[in-house]
């Protein structure tokens, strides 16, 4: 069957087309620029880098000398507390399951353990590269627009949650640069996704009927509910699965043992079922793009199989799924027209607040947005990732965010290009594909609305940067 598909005219045509695109990309100036790792050299020569590098190293590189210092460093209790990786493992598994403030608590405890580890070993091992630098600048930008917000108390609360999870992401990169630890981390993320997906399937058949809250019942009478698992919202659940599924695909591709391959295939199958049952059209579009990118980078044969599967799906999927997919862009759907009105209202607001924004958080957004809204008088957020960042942080915050995403994705892409055949290189390709798919989905929803998914967003980027360092076999040059 496989040989028949690979020898077909459709498959051969698709493969030749993408081979030609790949060749043109590699020969182009843009392709050359994207794959060059120039960001670190430029950032290390900047004054911002030097100041932040000095402050961070002074904070974490505390050298305790003398006999007292030796006793502290040899303390059994402190050495036990220095194993910050336990906190990393715990939070990676529990993020989709436990409440937001419990996640924040584990993140802060992990930071404390990391601090203890840095003191005992006199070894601060977060490499301040271009990505870390621009991420810290983004965090400073969020802080500035929190204290200047229309509702600064609410904004500062949001900032503290954001800061906890972004700093945890930096610790995750440090932890994941050890290949053994990275393997544990990626497998815990997949196991967590398996648990959440199983609960989503259970919810479909035995759960409550709250899934009706996100459906235009006049247009989609054949959809009984949208599953949301532990996230409380089907779109957020879909976003999580959008990042999980490509990673599962990479692990299937990497695995040599049949039983292990079957486990990852099982997780991916349950995840695919759940993303269909979320009925999140934005996530479906993002997943299609993710599959195309992953196949284009890793193995173009995958793309041929996917095209054939896509042609077969209309004959096997329920009408409810097909009708939902075909309704994309239909203004007769109340959720589509609702979003368009919110976008227009947000654009009206940005005419006055484009420079500095209104401040961080949806509570602040809702203090100003109703003054500019059209028919959609009430909205928790703008239902567009980029409009929301723009409206909260102004033009400088939006530019900083875009640069941060560009540098992170470029670094992850380089991780794949350095060693295309290694396990870590293929995981880089999967994370890159998932993140690009998610950023496309962000055109239709606000990705950071759920705090736990905000943590997952940065966690997956952290895993991508760590995988890149494993692929490149980067030895930590500590910032001393």
């Amino acid at each position: 069957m496989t040989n028949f598909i690979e020898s077909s005219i459709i498959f051969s045509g698709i493969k030749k087309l993408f081979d030609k695109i790949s060749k043109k990309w590699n020969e182009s100036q843009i392709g050359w620029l994207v794959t060059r790792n120039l960001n670190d050299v430029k950032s290390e020569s900047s004054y911002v880098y030097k100041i932040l590098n000095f402050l961070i190293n002074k904070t974490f590189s505390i050298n305790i000398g003398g006999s007292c210092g030796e006793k502290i460093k040899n303390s059994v209790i402190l050495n036990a507390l220095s194993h910050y990786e336990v906190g990393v493992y715990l939070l990676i598994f529990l993020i989709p399951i436990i409440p937001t403030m419990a996640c924040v608590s584990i993140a802060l405890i992990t930071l404390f353990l990391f601090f203890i580890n840095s003191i005992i070993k006199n070894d601060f091992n977060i490499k301040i590269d271009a990505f870390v630098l621009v991420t810290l600048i983004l965090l400073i930008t969020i802080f500035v627009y929190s204290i200047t917000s229309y509702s600064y108390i609410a904004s500062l609360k949001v900032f503290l949650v954001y800061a906890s999870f972004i700093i945890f992401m930096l610790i995750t990169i440090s932890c994941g640069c050890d290949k053994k630890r990275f393997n544990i981390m990626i497998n815990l993320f997949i196991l967590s996704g398996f648990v959440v997906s199983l609960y989503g399937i259970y919810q479909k058949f035995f759960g409550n009927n709250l899934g009706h809250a996100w459906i235009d019942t006049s247009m989609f009478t054949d959809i009984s509910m949208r599953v949301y698992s532990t996230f409380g919202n089907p779109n957020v659940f879909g976003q999580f699965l959008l990042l999980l599924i490509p990673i599962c695909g990479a692990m299937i591709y990497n695995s040599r043992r049949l039983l292990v391959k079957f486990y990852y295939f099982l997780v991916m199958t349950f995840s695919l079922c759940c993303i269909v049952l979320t009925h999140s059209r934005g996530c479906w579009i993002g997943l299609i793009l993710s599959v195309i990118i992953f196949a284009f980078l890793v193995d173009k044969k995958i793309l041929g199989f996917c095209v054939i599967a896509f042609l077969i799906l209309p004959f096997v999927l329920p009408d409810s799924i097909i009708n939902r997919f075909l309704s994309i862009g239909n203004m007769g759907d109340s959720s589509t027209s609702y979003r368009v009105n919110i976008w227009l209202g947000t654009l009206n607001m940005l005419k006055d607040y484009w420079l500095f924004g209104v401040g961080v958080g949806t509570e602040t957004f809702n203090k100003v947005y109703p003054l500019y809204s059209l028919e959609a008088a009430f909205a928790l957020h703008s239902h567009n990732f980029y409009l929301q960042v723009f409206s909260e942080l102004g033009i400088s915050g939006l530019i900083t965010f875009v640069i941060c995403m560009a540098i992170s994705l470029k670094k992850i892409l380089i991780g794949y290009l350095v060693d295309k055949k290694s396990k870590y290189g293929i995981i880089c390709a999967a994370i890159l594909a998932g993140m690009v798919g998610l950023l496309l989905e962000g055109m239709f929803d606000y990705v950071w609305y759920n705090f736990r998914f905000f943590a997952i967003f940065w966690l997956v980027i952290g895993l991508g940067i760590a995988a890149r360092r494993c692929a490149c076999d980067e030895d930590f040059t500590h910032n001393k």
Side-chain angles (χ1 to χ4, degrees):
M1 181 64 180
T2 303
N3 292 333
F4 172 75
I5 293 172
E6 290 180 7
S7 60
S8 67
I9 296 173
I10 296 174
F11 184 92
S12 300
I14 292 169
K15 188 174 183 300
K16 286 179 182 178
L17 173 64
F18 277 89
D19 282 339
K20 190 172 182 179
I21 293 171
S22 180
K23 183 180 178 182
K24 291 291 184 183
W25 167 262
N26 291 331
E27 292 173 353
S28 69
Q29 292 295 318
I30 297 174
W32 176 84
L33 183 64
V34 167
T35 55
R36 293 268 294 177
N37 196 18
L38 302 175
N39 302 111
D40 291 341
V41 177
K42 290 180 179 178
S43 65
E44 288 176 12
S45 62
S46 68
Y47 288 109
V48 177
Y49 170 86
K50 292 173 182 177
I51 292 168
L52 287 174
N53 190 45
F54 173 79
L55 292 174
I56 291 170
N57 279 286
K58 284 297 180 182
T59 302
F60 285 93
S61 301
I62 300 174
N63 188 10
I64 304 173
S67 58
C68 181
E70 286 300 316
K71 287 180 181 179
I72 291 173
K73 290 181 180 180
N74 294 326
S75 167
V76 175
I77 296 174
L78 286 180
N79 274 283
L81 289 174
S82 69
H83 291 285
Y84 69 93
E85 66 274 13
V86 176
V88 173
Y89 299 155
L90 190 64
L91 189 51
I92 287 175
F93 178 74
L94 292 177
I95 284 178
I97 301 169
I98 62 176
T100 298
M101 293 316 296
C103 292
V104 171
S105 299
I106 296 174
L108 293 175
I109 291 169
T110 305
L111 174 61
F112 173 73
L113 298 181
F114 182 79
F115 184 74
I116 295 295
N117 178 76
S118 299
I119 292 174
I120 290 177
K121 298 182 179 179
N122 193 26
D123 185 26
F124 172 63
N125 57 353
I126 291 180
K127 183 180 179 182
I128 311 295
D129 57 11
F131 167 70
V132 175
L133 176 63
V134 76
T135 302
L136 292 174
I137 292 172
L138 177 62
L139 191 58
I140 292 168
T141 304
I142 294 171
F143 173 71
V144 170
Y145 288 113
S146 295
I147 59 177
T148 58
S149 166
Y150 275 85
S151 180
Y152 65 90
I153 295 176
S155 292
L156 282 171
K157 289 178 181 177
V158 173
F159 166 76
L160 291 173
V161 175
Y162 282 5
S164 300
F165 290 142
I166 289 176
I167 292 170
F168 176 80
M169 177 270 295
L170 299 177
I171 296 172
T172 298
I173 296 173
S174 171
C175 184
C177 289
D178 178 275
K179 291 183 178 180
K180 183 179 178 181
R181 288 179 178 177
F182 178 83
N183 291 334
I184 294 171
M185 289 158 59
I186 204 77
N187 278 289
L188 282 171
F189 182 73
I190 292 170
L191 179 60
S192 179
F194 191 26
V195 172
V196 171
S197 297
L198 285 174
Y199 183 65
I201 299 295
Y202 168 84
Q203 194 176 65
K204 169 63 179 175
F205 296 102
F206 305 104
N208 55 46
N209 212 28
L210 291 176
H212 271 303
W214 300 278
I215 300 171
D216 183 344
T217 52
S218 63
M219 186 170 182
F220 302 105
T221 55
D222 49 356
I223 298 177
S224 58
M225 73 171 296
R226 297 175 62 185
V227 299
Y228 49 88
S229 190
T230 57
F231 289 94
N233 185 300
N235 294 324
V236 179
F237 184 31
Q239 291 160 3
F240 171 72
L241 296 170
L242 185 51
L243 295 178
L244 175 68
I245 290 167
I247 295 174
C248 291
M251 298 305 281
I252 293 169
Y253 194 87
N254 282 326
S255 301
R256 297 292 174 261
R257 294 169 57 190
L258 189 61
L259 190 61
V260 176
K261 195 182 286 283
F262 175 75
Y263 163 69
Y264 293 126
F265 179 78
L266 194 65
V267 179
M268 188 170 75
T269 301
F270 277 105
S271 301
L272 285 168
C273 289
C274 281
I275 202 169
V276 170
L277 293 173
T278 62
H279 293 276
S280 176
R281 293 165 292 189
C283 290
W284 293 349
I285 294 171
L287 182 62
I288 291 169
L289 179 61
S290 296
V291 170
I292 291 171
I293 293 171
F294 182 74
F296 178 75
L297 291 174
V298 175
D299 191 340
K300 296 174 186 66
K301 292 179 182 178
I302 298 171
L303 191 62
F305 287 114
C306 290
V307 169
I308 293 168
F310 190 74
L311 295 174
I312 294 171
L313 281 177
F315 300 100
V316 297
L317 285 175
D319 290 341
S320 60
I321 305 296
I322 296 170
N323 292 336
R324 180 77 174 168
F325 186 81
L326 293 176
S327 70
I328 294 172
N330 185 350
M331 291 296 290
D333 178 9
S334 61
S335 66
T336 302
S337 57
Y338 174 73
R339 274 177 166 78
V340 171
N341 283 324
I342 293 172
W343 296 342
L344 293 173
T346 305
L347 289 171
N348 284 338
M349 184 176 73
L350 284 169
K351 290 176 183 177
D352 294 330
Y353 293 96
W354 66 271
L355 187 57
F356 299 113
V358 298
V360 178
T362 55
E363 184 176 328
T364 306
F365 177 83
N366 273 288
K367 283 186 178 295
V368 182
Y369 170 77
L371 302 173
Y372 297 87
S373 66
L374 302 180
E375 294 177 26
F378 175 77
L380 291 171
H381 48 75
S382 65
H383 283 279
N384 181 292
F385 192 13
Y386 310 98
L387 284 178
Q388 189 71 24
V389 172
F390 194 1
S391 63
E392 291 185 11
L393 303 179
I395 188 65
S396 60
L398 179 63
I399 291 171
T400 306
F401 168 75
V402 170
I403 292 172
C404 184
M405 291 299 99
I407 291 176
S408 63
L409 294 179
K410 177 179 175 180
K411 280 186 168 292
I412 295 170
L413 175 62
I414 290 172
Y416 164 72
L417 295 174
V418 164
D419 193 351
K420 298 180 180 180
K421 300 299 181 183
S422 76
K423 170 182 179 178
Y424 304 102
I426 292 169
I427 290 174
C428 282
I431 290 174
L432 175 70
M435 285 303 304
V436 173
L438 179 66
L439 291 173
L440 174 63
E441 196 274 342
M443 295 294 293
F444 316 106
D445 213 345
Y446 178 39
V447 172
W448 287 354
Y449 171 64
N450 183 291
F451 285 135
R452 286 183 297 150
F453 189 74
F454 177 90
I456 292 167
F457 178 94
W458 288 105
L459 167 65
V460 171
I461 290 177
L463 289 173
I465 300 295
R468 182 250 189 191
R469 291 180 178 175
C470 289
C472 298
D473 282 321
E474 287 188 6
D475 184 24
F476 263 127
T477 305
H478 305 309
N479 306 294
K480 293 182 181 178

